[in-house]
Structures are given as C-alpha cells and as structure tokens.
Amino acid sequence: MSERGLEQLWAGWRHEYVVSATDAERRGNSDGCVFCRIVESGPPSPDNGMVWRGELSAVVLNAYPYASGHVLVMPVRHVRDLGELTPEESVDMWEASRQAVATLRAAYEPDGINMGANLGRAAGAGIPEHLHLHVLPRWSGDTNFMTAVSGVRVMPEPLVVGWERLHGAWPQA
Ligand SMILES: [Zn+2]
C-alpha cells in the first residue's frame, strides 16, 4: 500500500461521528455516546446496525464505511482505553474480532483485511471516549483506485445490505 493510500484510508476514520463525539465529550460521560446508544438499543437489527452482540462486546457496522463490510468491534462498557478493559472484556473483544474477520472472509471473500484502532483524537479517533477496533475487508487495487481518482470515493453497498450479509454469515455460538 502506498503511503498516500494509507493516509487516505486512516484519515477517513477521523470524520466518523465527529459531531456526536464532540457533543459527548462536552458532557464528559456516556449519556451522549453514540456507541453506548447502539449497544443498549436492543438485539442486533438492520435499524441499529449491530451485527452481533455478546454480554461484554459487540460488533457494529460503521455508519461511514470505507468499504463494504467495515465493522467496529467494541466493548459494551463505556471504556476509553485498552488499559481499562478487564481481562474478560479483552478476551471477549479479541474473540469477537476473530469472528468478525472470519465472517468478513465468508461474506465478502476479500483479498485482505485491515484491523486497527485509533486511541485518542490525535491518533484519528472520531469517538475517542468509547474504545473500538476497525475491521474492514480490502481488495487488491482498491487503494490504487482511490488514489488515482482523487476526491472520488468508492461507494460501498447500502448499510442494510451489509448488515444482512454479515448477520447471516456470523458463526452461531
Ligand atoms: Zn460509550
């Protein structure tokens, strides 16, 4: 991946939910947290965009995806940093990430997968107060395409289509 391609890929994540994030930060608690609202909104559905929810962690479609199938793995608890996770939450989040990767492979057959976290706003986190890990499928040449056609975005599939695809492919516990 070219440096410019990488920059574009990560830069996009900074803009997700920026308005809500700023709002939540001002209040300094989880009341205004969009991720808390999602995980507390009931079982996974196309409406809340949750693909899977466990007791300790959840997988949510990114509302502003960089690619079809771009999901966020997060703890259910409102936690800012990796170090605040309990050992149980760490294990559960990692297992959810493992399943997310397997599900993306089954549902999209990508050439590769990006996983990553932006810890803190300076690192590019749109919602720094609620820890989340990005997992997204990649295809050979997709970065080249974005770089070549500057300012033009590859339009991912509608979120509801992604939800149906991923929810249907998620391994049953
Ligand atoms: Zn939260």
Side-chain angles (χ1 to χ4, degrees):
M1 184 189 295
S2 74
E3 203 171 310
R4 180 165 161 71
L6 189 66
E7 185 189 324
Q8 285 186 333
L9 179 69
W10 284 78
W13 297 353
R14 292 175 194 163
H15 300 300
E16 59 181 20
Y17 315 110
V18 162
V19 176
S20 319
T22 309
D23 213 43
E25 278 185 326
R26 202 175 297 130
R27 274 178 264 182
N29 56 39
S30 62
D31 290 353
C33 176
V34 64
F35 291 158
C36 283
R37 278 206 301 273
I38 291 171
V39 298
E40 288 159 10
S41 66
S45 79
D47 292 332
N48 60 24
M50 226 181 337
V51 176
W52 173 84
R53 191 198 195 282
E55 199 183 325
L56 299 175
S57 56
V59 178
V60 177
L61 278 171
N62 189 349
Y64 302 93
Y66 237 96
S68 299
H70 183 167
V71 296
L72 308 171
V73 180
M74 62 188 71
V76 166
R77 195 163 62 93
H78 187 76
V79 165
R80 172 179 284 268
D81 202 60
L82 213 53
E84 294 172 52
L85 291 176
T86 66
E88 291 76 20
E89 285 170 332
S90 291
V91 169
D92 200 69
M93 218 178 134
W94 189 247
E95 177 60 15
S97 303
R98 197 182 67 78
Q99 293 198 337
V101 168
T103 303
L104 289 187
R105 287 226 170 91
Y108 290 93
E109 300 181 5
D111 298 324
I113 289 176
N114 279 125
M115 290 177 68
N118 305 325
L119 304 179
R121 192 173 291 288
I127 303 193
E129 73 276 8
H130 196 134
L131 180 67
H132 56 284
L133 182 74
H134 295 260
V135 184
L136 62 147
R138 301 297 305 275
W139 286 268
S140 300
D142 58 2
T143 306
N144 292 344
F145 179 82
M146 286 196 289
T147 309
V149 191
S150 183
V152 176
R153 262 186 89 189
V154 183
M155 203 57 200
E157 67 192 0
L159 285 176
V160 64
V161 175
W163 185 88
E164 282 164 2
R165 204 191 280 246
L166 289 173
H167 191 257
W170 194 271
Q172 302 305 307

